[in-house]
Amino acid sequence: PTPGPGDPAAVPGLVRRVDPPWPAGLPDGGRHGFTPADRRRLEALLPSIVAPLADALPIGARRVLVLGTEEFMYVPLRIAGALDAAGTAGEGPEVFFSTTTRSPVLPVDDPGYAIRSRLVFPAHDLP
């Protein structure tokens, strides 16, 4: 259904939590291993994981950032790719992917350097 006035999906800039279905037993990252069988299972289930995320985007959304954290990068990267593929033919927003790290990183604003910028913010967990 198309959201009407006052519907959270119609409010630009509003952040709301979306909990896509996550299959039991499928790791959410590589901290404890992510096997080839896990990868195949994730690939098969990506459409059902991404659908509620795509449905939650505000109408007319132009850009989406999928943010991985620390060693939890692979799954968010795949979700970003699937979300981007779901909006093919110019029908969806432009999808970006980035990640955070606790490791020291030196950003250098040079086109040939891998890390060109940084943001600093407090840890989301108890460091």
Side-chain angles (χ1 to χ4, degrees):
T2 302
D7 185 313
V11 180
L14 180 71
V15 175
R16 66 185 177 128
R17 184 180 177 99
V18 177
D19 291 317
W22 196 256
L26 182 64
D28 58 2
R31 178 179 282 174
H32 303 292
F34 204 86
T35 67
D38 293 331
R39 183 183 57 76
R40 287 188 298 273
R41 188 168 175 218
L42 174 64
E43 293 300 320
L45 295 170
L46 271 174
S48 65
I49 293 168
V50 168
L53 300 173
D55 291 345
L57 294 174
I59 293 171
R62 296 185 330 232
R63 296 180 301 168
V64 173
L65 172 64
V66 178
L67 184 63
T69 58
E70 298 153 15
E71 67 270 14
F72 299 102
M73 294 181 217
Y74 179 70
V75 171
L77 177 63
R78 291 304 303 123
I79 288 172
L83 192 58
D84 187 53
T88 57
E91 296 177 16
E94 190 173 9
V95 180
F96 296 88
F97 174 78
S98 191
T99 187
T100 66
T101 181
R102 290 184 283 197
S103 301
V105 172
L106 174 67
V108 176
D109 189 15
D110 181 283
Y113 196 73
I115 309 222
R116 296 187 57 192
S117 65
R118 72 177 187 163
L119 297 174
V120 178
F121 50 89
H124 67 279
D125 57 0
L126 298 174

